[in-house]
Amino acid sequence: MLALFLFIFLFSSQNLVDCVNDEGYALLSFKQSITEDPLGSLTNWNSSDETPCSWSGVTCKEQKVVSVSIPKQKLKGFVSPSLGSLSQLRHVNLRNNKLFGGLPFELFRAQGLQSLVLYGNSLSESVPFDIGKLSYLQNLDLSQNLLNGSLPSSLVQCKRLRSLVLSQNNFSGGLPDGFGISLVSLEKLDISINRFSGPVPSDLGNLSNLQGTADLSHNLFSGSIPASLGNLPEKVYIDLTYNNLTGPIPQTGALINRGPTAFIGNPGLCGPPLKNQCGISASSPSSSIPFLPSDVPPQYGGDGKGARRGLSKGSIVAIVVGDVIGICFFGLLFMYCYSRVCGMRKGENGFGSGKKLKARKDCLCFGKDESETLSEKVEQYDLVPLGMQLGYDLEELLKASAFVLGKSGIGIVYKVVLEDGNTLAVRRLGEGGTQRFKEFQKEVEAIGKLRHPNIVTLRAYYWSVDEKLLIYDYIQNGNLATAIHGKPGTVPFTPLSWPSRLKIMKGVAKGMVYLHEFSPKKYVHGDLKPTNILLGQNMEALISDFGLGRLANIAGGTPIVESSRMASENIHEKLQDNAPSEVTAVNSPANLRSCYQDPEALKAIKPSQKWDVYSYGVILLEMISGRPPIVQLDTTQMDIVHWFQLCIEEKTPFSEVLDPYLTKDVDREDEIIAVLKIAMTCIQSSPERKPSMRHIFDALERLSTK
């Protein structure tokens, strides 16, 4: 009887284990390679199921696994080789997890793979040569990892590749031979922030299907710029900034009308559109701010996309007087465009009588992909002031010197210096879209009425069919992110003392109390973070970018800096703050914005003021520790909130948590700990237990500022 029982038990157990098919076994092997699954995303992956087709993140077609998509689930472990045994696998998306180790060569045995998205992990080592077996691969995104070594020469065998994103890794060496000849289907190319070296391949000019930005910036490319890059589509923005390129910039095809922001950070480059004359040693260091001629509208310098067209004859004369390089070329181009385009519009009606805005497309030139020309009647209308009367008009603004301060998904920001020395900050919202002017006007005027010493004042705006501009006071000491961490690639900075930090904390809290309790609509900022906290003449805090998301949505303009993800992934959170900038030049991880975002914001529909409280708490943690919002721990990354919680659990000594620059303020330890306690209450999971900004400000006010 015992022998019979054992036989029945073993037979039943074998049937239970064998329930799942071979593809299920392969996925269970992947599950075993995951050491941490804090969100339980693999909980329903059970061997008792007949197939894995009902498992979370798994998609099947005809009972065969075609897709494994488990993004942003904090999975920790390595990429199992077993995924390569899924014969019909077409899509793998494991982005924004905590995967480490190398890419197994067995993964590339799934030769039908079309999309491999692994960005935002901690993958290391080099890319296996076997990647060349993926002849159907269309989308490869390995960005924001720790991958190194040269790109395998076999990559050029992936001839169907349409999107190649390798930014923010440690790749080195040159691009594979035949890169531009073989990968002619490429529509997106981003290899920025690596250590690629050698010459820029001349065959890149064959990539005739490229769109958006071809980003080769922040590498070690050397030698001259191939003239063949001019063969790229005219609308492609070629970003070659911060390399070791030398010699004259070719004036051919798509390279002709690029602004200086496409080439800065290469001290050896010369000729238009740079001010360095060829044959004369460059005087501007790689970190210098791009200077634009005082006669060129600021919008030309920001994205370098627009052909310089449509300036009036007076503006052309000003350019001839003020510019020192390339004036003949640009002057002829302006006159040609003026006669061809603006001349055709002279018979059209301008503004209606008594109206400040046009009902048709005007010709205001701000460097668009397809530039319009300047209407004869646009000089009759001006910026719309909000509050006090302005001491300048639109024409003065267009003639002013402009410097790019930064780029984001909500547009380009310029520092504009008027002839009388008055300095402004001008944000360009977009180039077109839905024409909801009345709604825009109502919103912008409500924001313009806000007056508080800790909030940046919106002074004026301009609206046309193609352009939406916001004019602010210029804040001279940059933003809080730069004050805490310095600016990448620049000389060491002067760290903030504890009294200065406490002053800034109080200023931000005071400004947020005003928004939450005393503004007409009791606003929610919704995007509070260090880059949106500017520092005034006396290092006082000024909250900026309030209401921008709403205004940009109404304006309907396309963001200046496109997302580096495919539209099919529906990624909206990434802002690429990688513009050459006087105040900020930050290249943020894909999940940087989410570090300041209250997790409750992902669940709720109606904005809550407690979202701002959470963001403020994260900022306090950053100011206390001096750590970035994403903390690197060996081969893994962790947001600063979870890092602090881990430090508390492990009883890490306070001295190891504190910003080293604050060690000289040891006599203020009680104050620092008090602020830390406030921060920890701000980041609580329960909204009801979070304090109000009023209570936070009152608590900070009780602390010394001496």
Side-chain angles (χ1 to χ4, degrees):
M1 284 294 291
L2 180 60
L4 178 62
F5 175 81
L6 288 174
F7 174 81
I8 295 173
F9 175 79
L10 292 173
F11 181 80
S12 301
S13 299
Q14 186 66 30
N15 283 344
L16 180 64
V17 173
D18 288 342
C19 230
V20 72
N21 61 17
D22 291 342
E23 298 207 331
Y25 274 124
L27 291 176
L28 288 176
S29 179
F30 169 77
K31 181 179 180 180
Q32 290 177 351
S33 71
I34 301 301
T35 58
E36 293 182 13
D37 180 16
L39 302 183
S41 56
L42 307 180
T43 302
N44 71 337
W45 287 30
N46 298 314
S47 60
S48 57
D49 295 328
E50 196 170 325
T51 73
C53 297
S54 62
W55 295 355
S56 299
V58 178
T59 303
C60 293
K61 185 175 182 181
E62 298 179 355
Q63 300 302 307
K64 291 288 186 178
V65 176
V66 296
S67 174
V68 177
S69 180
I70 317 171
K72 300 176 67 175
Q73 295 300 305
K74 301 181 180 180
L75 297 178
K76 185 175 182 180
F78 58 89
V79 179
S80 173
S82 64
L83 292 179
S85 65
L86 300 172
S87 60
Q88 299 300 312
L89 188 62
R90 298 291 180 265
H91 306 281
V92 173
N93 182 357
L94 300 173
R95 62 180 174 85
N96 290 123
N97 282 292
K98 299 180 180 181
L99 302 177
F100 55 85
L103 291 173
F105 70 88
E106 293 91 347
L107 174 65
F108 304 113
R109 290 176 179 171
Q111 297 183 14
L113 202 60
Q114 298 175 10
S115 177
L116 180 59
V117 179
L118 298 171
Y119 74 83
N121 284 284
S122 297
L123 299 172
S124 57
E125 304 180 19
S126 58
V127 176
F129 185 85
D130 299 71
I131 194 172
K133 296 178 180 179
L134 304 182
S135 57
Y136 293 95
L137 189 63
Q138 298 180 30
N139 177 28
L140 179 63
D141 193 337
L142 304 177
S143 60
Q144 299 174 40
N145 279 287
L146 304 171
L147 296 166
N148 53 50
S150 301
L151 290 184
S153 58
S154 61
L155 183 65
V156 299
Q157 298 173 23
C158 304
K159 298 183 184 297
R160 289 183 172 88
L161 203 57
R162 297 174 61 186
S163 176
L164 178 62
V165 183
L166 305 174
S167 61
Q168 299 185 48
N169 277 285
N170 294 314
F171 289 117
S172 58
L175 297 182
D177 292 338
F179 187 92
I181 297 175
S182 301
L183 303 181
V184 291
S185 297
L186 272 182
E187 297 175 1
K188 182 174 184 59
L189 176 63
D190 185 355
I191 58 173
S192 62
I193 317 177
N194 280 285
R195 300 183 63 80
F196 287 114
S197 59
V200 175
S202 59
D203 62 1
L204 289 186
N206 293 307
L207 302 178
S208 58
N209 289 308
L210 279 183
Q211 303 173 15
T213 298
D215 199 341
L216 282 69
S217 66
H218 293 83
N219 279 291
L220 301 173
F221 287 114
S222 58
S224 59
I225 298 176
S228 58
L229 289 187
N231 297 330
L232 291 173
E234 189 172 343
K235 292 185 179 181
V236 172
Y237 180 68
I238 308 168
D239 192 344
L240 297 170
T241 56
Y242 298 96
N243 279 283
N244 295 322
L245 300 171
T246 57
I249 299 172
Q251 296 299 297
T252 59
L255 292 171
I256 290 179
N257 296 318
R258 297 301 170 220
T261 55
F263 306 104
I264 65 168
N266 295 279
L269 286 180
C270 61
L274 302 178
K275 296 184 71 66
N276 304 329
Q277 298 183 43
C278 293
I280 300 177
S281 59
S283 58
S284 299
S286 62
S287 61
S288 62
I289 303 162
F291 175 78
L292 303 182
S294 61
D295 317 280
V296 182
Q299 286 68 17
Y300 276 134
D303 55 10
K305 295 179 183 177
R308 288 152 167 74
R309 301 185 176 183
L311 293 180
S312 65
K313 293 181 179 179
S315 296
I316 294 175
V317 172
I319 293 175
V320 172
V321 174
D323 222 348
V324 291
I325 299 173
I327 192 59
C328 294
F329 171 80
F330 288 115
L332 291 173
L333 182 61
F334 288 146
M335 294 185 68
Y336 171 78
C337 295
Y338 183 88
S339 61
R340 285 292 302 273
V341 184
C342 284
M344 296 171 60
R345 298 193 175 202
K346 288 183 179 180
E348 296 183 14
N349 292 329
F351 298 95
S353 176
K355 294 182 180 179
K356 289 188 176 181
L357 294 160
K358 293 180 290 183
R360 64 169 180 84
K361 263 193 176 181
D362 64 24
C363 302
L364 191 59
C365 296
F366 281 98
K368 303 183 290 294
D369 287 337
E370 296 183 13
S371 300
E372 297 292 336
T373 52
L374 187 61
S375 167
E376 289 183 345
K377 296 192 177 184
V378 75
E379 290 94 352
Q380 299 177 15
Y381 304 95
D382 208 348
L383 303 170
V384 180
L386 299 170
M388 296 177 59
Q389 192 65 31
L390 304 176
Y392 48 89
D393 56 21
L394 181 63
E395 183 177 358
E396 291 177 81
L397 186 69
L398 297 184
K399 289 183 178 181
S401 299
F403 306 83
V404 177
L405 290 179
K407 292 182 182 179
S408 75
I410 308 182
I412 299 179
V413 183
Y414 306 88
K415 173 185 176 182
V416 177
V417 182
L418 303 176
E419 289 184 352
D420 62 1
N422 190 17
T423 306
L424 312 170
V426 178
R427 180 181 287 274
R428 177 190 179 210
L429 281 184
E431 300 178 356
T434 57
Q435 307 311 317
R436 298 152 59 186
F437 168 66
K438 291 296 183 183
E439 190 176 358
F440 182 91
Q441 182 185 42
K442 181 179 179 180
E443 190 73 16
V444 79
E445 289 184 354
I447 295 173
K449 291 178 181 178
L450 300 179
R451 293 290 188 271
H452 190 273
N454 296 112
I455 296 178
V456 177
T457 302
L458 178 60
R459 295 296 184 186
Y461 71 94
Y462 176 86
W463 168 286
S464 75
V465 173
D466 295 326
E467 299 298 338
K468 293 87 182 170
L469 306 178
L470 302 176
I471 293 83
Y472 296 88
D473 290 337
Y474 174 70
I475 311 302
Q476 61 187 26
N477 281 325
N479 62 47
L480 181 58
T482 302
I484 298 173
H485 307 296
K487 190 187 302 182
T490 61
V491 296
F493 68 108
T494 302
L496 293 172
S497 65
W498 175 251
S500 296
R501 299 188 195 206
L502 187 55
K503 176 183 176 181
I504 293 168
M505 295 173 190
K506 292 181 178 181
V508 176
K510 191 174 183 179
M512 292 307 300
V513 171
Y514 172 79
L515 284 179
H516 285 184
E517 297 185 14
F518 300 103
S519 61
K521 297 183 179 181
K522 296 187 176 180
Y523 288 107
V524 174
H525 189 291
D527 193 23
L528 190 63
K529 54 189 177 183
T531 52
N532 288 341
I533 298 172
L534 306 184
L535 302 176
Q537 183 175 1
N538 298 314
M539 298 302 287
E540 69 276 15
L542 292 106
I543 300 168
S544 70
D545 287 6
F546 167 69
L548 270 185
R550 169 77 173 154
L551 290 175
N553 179 57
I554 297 172
T558 302
I560 300 301
V561 182
E562 300 176 352
S563 169
S564 63
R565 312 293 159 218
M566 297 184 68
S568 61
E569 291 189 72
N570 199 28
I571 303 301
H572 300 290
E573 71 269 27
K574 181 176 180 186
L575 297 178
Q576 300 178 330
D577 298 323
N578 57 0
S581 132
E582 178 174 290
V583 173
T584 176
V586 180
N587 289 284
S588 302
N591 57 347
L592 179 55
R593 184 179 179 185
S594 64
C595 292
Y596 301 100
Q597 186 179 52
D598 191 334
E600 288 295 316
L602 301 175
K603 307 174 185 177
I605 298 176
K606 184 178 179 181
S608 166
Q609 293 181 351
K610 295 301 178 71
W611 297 2
D612 290 339
V613 172
Y614 181 94
S615 301
Y616 182 79
V618 179
I619 294 171
L620 294 187
L621 296 180
E622 197 169 341
M623 296 181 75
I624 291 170
S625 67
R627 299 270 183 153
I630 299 177
V631 181
Q632 185 72 39
L633 296 176
D634 297 325
T635 59
T636 63
Q637 290 181 333
M638 180 182 298
D639 65 74
I640 195 170
V641 170
H642 289 92
W643 178 74
F644 259 91
Q645 292 170 343
L646 179 64
C647 290
I648 293 173
E649 291 173 4
E650 296 181 350
K651 298 182 179 180
T652 304
F654 184 66
S655 59
E656 295 181 20
V657 175
L658 187 65
D659 187 344
Y661 289 121
L662 293 178
T663 54
K664 62 181 182 298
D665 295 300
V666 65
D667 58 325
R668 303 291 186 117
E669 183 174 323
D670 290 342
E671 290 180 8
I672 299 174
I673 293 176
V675 174
L676 177 57
K677 291 179 180 179
I678 293 173
M680 298 309 293
T681 62
C682 293
I683 60 172
Q684 293 182 89
S685 58
S686 172
E688 293 77 20
R689 298 182 64 185
K690 291 186 178 77
S692 67
M693 289 306 305
R694 163 63 67 183
H695 286 110
I696 293 170
F697 176 70
D698 290 342
L700 291 174
E701 273 292 273
R702 290 192 288 269
L703 300 178
S704 171
T705 55
K706 296 180 181 179

